[in-house]
Amino acid sequence: MKNIPFSKIEILSGPSKKSYYTGEDLDLSDLLLKATYDNGETDSTIVASQCTITGYNSSTTGDQTVTVTFGGKTANFKVTVVANSLVSIAV
């Protein structure tokens, strides 16, 4: 990352997983972001570990908007959390 202010970030790819069961961790392993600098140059090597991730709660079912923040700029994506369902009980 350069030491130049940037105007925005956007999601280039990922996350490919958009549906989760309650209690499941958010998978951001394939999330890739692009920063656009004020001078027009771009950086497409920003990964989730460099960002602050908010808005995901694995205990709450339903649609959720996850916010990715990097350098004060944000991008969003949606995920869905569904309740675990019991398939069978073995005795």
Side-chain angles (χ1 to χ4, degrees):
M1 187 172 106
K2 301 176 182 186
N3 195 15
I4 303 170
F6 57 93
S7 55
K8 67 177 180 175
I9 63 169
E10 57 190 295
I11 297 172
L12 280 182
S13 65
S16 55
K17 184 169 181 164
K18 302 282 184 163
S19 183
Y20 294 86
Y21 290 107
T22 52
E24 193 173 6
D25 290 336
L26 187 63
D27 181 2
L28 301 176
S29 58
D30 62 345
L31 179 67
L32 183 63
L33 300 150
K34 176 174 82 172
T36 302
Y37 294 92
D38 288 346
N39 67 1
E41 292 182 32
T42 61
D43 180 352
S44 300
T45 61
I46 300 164
V47 295
S49 62
Q50 296 172 278
C51 303
T52 301
I53 310 297
T54 57
Y56 179 70
N57 184 338
S58 67
S59 302
T60 303
T61 59
D63 294 336
Q64 299 181 20
T65 299
V66 179
T67 301
V68 181
T69 304
F70 180 77
K73 306 298 181 191
T74 62
N76 300 305
F77 62 91
K78 294 193 180 289
V79 297
T80 302
V81 177
V82 295
N84 288 327
S85 58
L86 182 61
V87 176
S88 67
I89 297 177
V91 179

